[in-house]
Amino acid sequence: MGGTGGPGGTEGPGGAEEPEGSGNPDDAPGAVHEEVSALLAAWALGSGMPGDDARVRGHLRDCPPCAAEAQRLRETVRLLDEPAPGGPGRGAGRKANAGMARGRLMAAARAARPGQGAPAPHAEPYAGAVACLDALLRELDREPARWGTPVVHDWDVQGTVAHLVAADEVLAERLGLAPVTEAGTSLGPVPGAGPEGGFGGAGTGPGGRTAGAGAPWELRWTARTHEVVAYEHTRPPAETREAWRTQAHGLLALPEAGDEQLAAMATTLMGLRLPVADHYVIRAFETWVHARDIGRALGRPVPPPPPVHLQRFLGLAVRILDLALGPDARPVLLSVEGEAGGDWVLGSDAEPIAAELVLEATDFLLLLGGRQDPDEIARGQAGDAAAAQRLLETATSLAWL
């Protein structure tokens, strides 16, 4: 761990000051400024890498803007760490809020570190979906009133982003990230991921209904997302967006996002026991679907993901759909058209193929995302109509977005 220190000079081996960037021809002033700017959050937290402290302090001596930002961050950390005045109850609430703020700052520090490895293939679709939605939300800086535009499920834009905060929270907490929303803290521990799927705590759902730890995951999930959406609507939209971005970037900064071997570990979330890599793909899929929802509401079309990401979506979707159909379903040959497409036989492997379905990739995925109805999508179909219809209806039943 790198030490922490305030603005000041950097001492060399003999106690004399070393000029910033000495001995390294690549240390141009502009490059040093960009690097140190990205290191400031980690430096303020005392979580820098060996050598960061001297590099940061040397730059702060000659850069007033970075020195001012460093002072602001150090003051924030000091306030988070100091004991809370007042009684135990008030102190406990302050401690919980401080932990969340420190968690947000740490996630930002990890995500901003220069040299942060690119995500592995399983996390690339999530990185792409996050970048797409972030670009869309940045456009609202010029039209802040449009955060209230109705989108889906009685949510406006802010509510949809808050829903994504709650949705990403399940994987984030399972992988050890601190919460980014204070929703529910007045009721006790934030309902997070329990040992095996769903949410471990109790949440308050619509109408004040409580979903305890023993309730089905769907009920606990509905309660938690309602709680987060309601809480985030008490805050400015920019804070909801910041919470979502911090959590999303924190997920992308985790070792599991960059290491396929680590991501091969299986865990149960949202009723599905899958490798962590597949849970990243699910997060990508949901983020893209809701980015598309928001884009349509704002009149800004969101393109489909690139083919390499669509392939990840399709591969996982077919596996989950096959499990949902079960081994006794009459087999259907599903052909998905396009560069990302392919052919799969779903259902029983003990019978001849009963039906064939030909779908376009985006239509199939929107069917699974609950954004298309089986009767609305264009398709080619032959053979047993009942077997084909069962596949389509099963796909629709999987949507919870």
Side-chain angles (χ1 to χ4, degrees):
M1 298 286 287
T4 58
T10 306
E11 293 187 352
E17 285 192 339
E18 262 184 1
E20 184 181 325
S22 63
N24 187 345
D26 294 329
D27 280 345
V32 172
H33 177 80
E34 291 299 320
E35 180 182 353
V36 172
S37 295
L39 287 171
L40 284 179
W43 176 80
L45 285 161
S47 63
M49 298 293 287
D52 284 353
D53 184 51
R55 191 169 184 79
V56 170
R57 292 174 62 196
H59 177 71
L60 296 183
R61 182 192 60 218
D62 299 320
C63 182
C66 283
E69 176 65 6
Q71 183 62 33
R72 185 188 70 80
L73 289 169
R74 293 297 300 277
E75 178 64 13
T76 299
V77 173
R78 184 188 69 77
L79 291 173
L80 293 177
D81 286 342
E82 70 179 11
R90 183 178 176 186
R94 171 72 172 270
K95 184 177 180 182
N97 294 346
M100 288 175 192
R102 179 176 271 275
R104 289 195 289 269
L105 191 57
M106 180 61 81
R110 286 197 291 183
R113 172 166 290 284
Q116 177 70 42
H122 67 269
E124 286 178 353
Y126 183 59
V130 167
C132 175
L133 178 55
D134 196 29
L136 186 61
L137 295 178
R138 279 200 302 270
E139 296 185 23
L140 297 181
D141 292 344
R142 299 190 297 271
E143 302 175 274
R146 302 205 69 188
W147 277 96
T149 303
V151 178
V152 66
H153 303 324
D154 296 324
W155 301 328
D156 56 10
V157 176
Q158 184 178 9
T160 306
V161 176
H163 162 73
L164 283 172
V165 171
D168 287 348
E169 175 184 73
V170 186
L171 178 60
E173 290 193 353
R174 177 59 55 84
L175 297 181
L177 288 182
V180 294
T181 178
E182 297 173 17
T185 54
S186 62
L187 306 176
V190 175
E196 275 303 319
F199 296 91
T204 303
R209 296 193 302 274
T210 299
W217 77 263
E218 295 93 341
L219 181 57
R220 284 176 281 159
W221 163 237
T222 299
R224 179 57 179 163
T225 198
H226 174 83
E227 184 175 58
V228 173
V229 170
Y231 170 76
E232 291 297 328
H233 271 123
T234 69
R235 305 209 294 165
E239 293 186 15
T240 301
R241 176 188 167 202
E242 188 271 340
W244 166 74
R245 289 184 75 253
T246 296
Q247 185 168 251
H249 289 182
L251 279 167
L252 289 167
L254 288 172
E256 289 84 353
D259 188 322
E260 291 187 305
Q261 187 171 356
L262 281 177
M265 174 189 68
T267 189
T268 304
L269 300 174
M270 301 292 200
L272 292 171
R273 184 165 184 79
L274 296 167
V276 166
D278 287 342
H279 287 295
Y280 269 96
V281 176
I282 290 173
R283 302 305 334 124
F285 178 58
E286 182 163 3
T287 303
W288 167 64
V289 169
H290 285 308
R292 182 179 179 275
D293 291 337
I294 292 171
R296 287 167 64 88
L298 297 176
R300 293 174 169 85
V302 172
V308 67
H309 296 176
L310 283 176
Q311 287 172 347
R312 286 268 175 179
F313 292 165
L314 288 168
L316 179 58
V318 168
R319 282 162 44 209
I320 294 173
L321 178 55
D322 196 31
L323 288 171
L325 282 168
D328 298 327
R330 299 205 68 194
V332 176
L333 173 61
L334 173 65
S335 296
V336 178
E337 294 183 318
E339 188 178 346
D343 298 321
W344 297 271
V345 177
L346 288 75
S348 172
D349 57 5
E351 302 178 42
I353 292 172
E356 296 182 23
L357 268 175
V358 181
L359 302 173
E360 193 274 328
T362 303
D363 283 343
F364 176 57
L365 291 171
L366 292 174
L367 183 71
L368 285 158
R371 298 302 185 267
Q372 292 272 33
D373 185 87
D375 296 331
E376 296 174 345
I377 60 174
R379 63 181 188 266
Q381 182 175 321
D384 187 337
Q389 189 66 19
R390 178 180 176 183
L391 184 149
L392 293 170
E393 290 176 355
T394 302
T396 304
S397 73
L398 296 175
W400 71 85
L401 310 187

